[in-house]
């Protein structure tokens, strides 16, 4: 919600990205270089396309357990319940 304008009211997306970069230890210039890196954008888009086309990944995060796409989790408790269920089936 701090940097993604999809569904959020962010008056200055660039400033929000710079702030997020600072949290990661980046300068504003480093953030701008990342934003402007067309080659990296193309690589990222290719990976995202493959993930969608081959594995059905259409959201972040998406989890796979034993090669199967896990359902959407709302909470950490949902993750635990799912993994407990998967592990219980393996014990059979």
């Amino acid at each position: 919600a701090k940097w993604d304008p999809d569904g959020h009211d962010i008056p200055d997306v660039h400033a929000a990205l710079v702030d997020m970069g600072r949290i990661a230890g980046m300068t504003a210039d480093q953030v701008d270089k990342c934003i402007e890196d067309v080659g990296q954008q193309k690589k990222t888009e290719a990976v995202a396309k493959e993930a969608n086309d081959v594995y059905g990944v259409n959201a972040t995060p998406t989890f796979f357990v034993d090669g199967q796409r896990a359902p959407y989790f709302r909470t950490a408790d949902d993750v635990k319940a799912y993994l407990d269920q998967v592990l219980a089936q393996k014990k059979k």
Side-chain angles (χ1 to χ4, degrees):
K2 291 184 179 185
W3 61 270
D4 181 4
D6 258 358
H8 304 284
D9 183 23
I10 300 172
D12 186 346
V13 173
H14 179 263
L17 287 170
V18 169
D19 285 342
M20 295 299 291
R22 284 194 180 119
I23 291 169
M26 298 172 71
T27 66
D29 286 340
Q30 289 172 320
V31 172
D32 285 338
K33 285 180 183 173
C34 285
I35 291 170
E36 295 166 3
D37 188 342
V38 175
Q40 189 60 48
Q41 289 174 12
K42 288 181 180 181
K43 287 179 188 177
T44 301
E45 289 169 1
V47 168
K49 182 174 178 1
E50 178 184 11
N52 184 281
D53 294 349
V54 176
Y55 303 103
V57 174
N58 61 1
T60 303
T62 297
F63 297 97
F64 287 82
V65 177
D66 286 340
Q68 300 296 315
R69 185 173 167 197
Y72 174 75
F73 302 118
R74 290 193 169 277
T75 68
D77 288 338
D78 292 345
V79 174
K80 182 182 181 324
Y82 178 78
L83 292 175
D84 286 346
Q85 177 185 357
V86 169
L87 289 171
Q89 291 174 353
K90 286 186 166 285
K91 291 179 182 180
K92 291 181 183 180

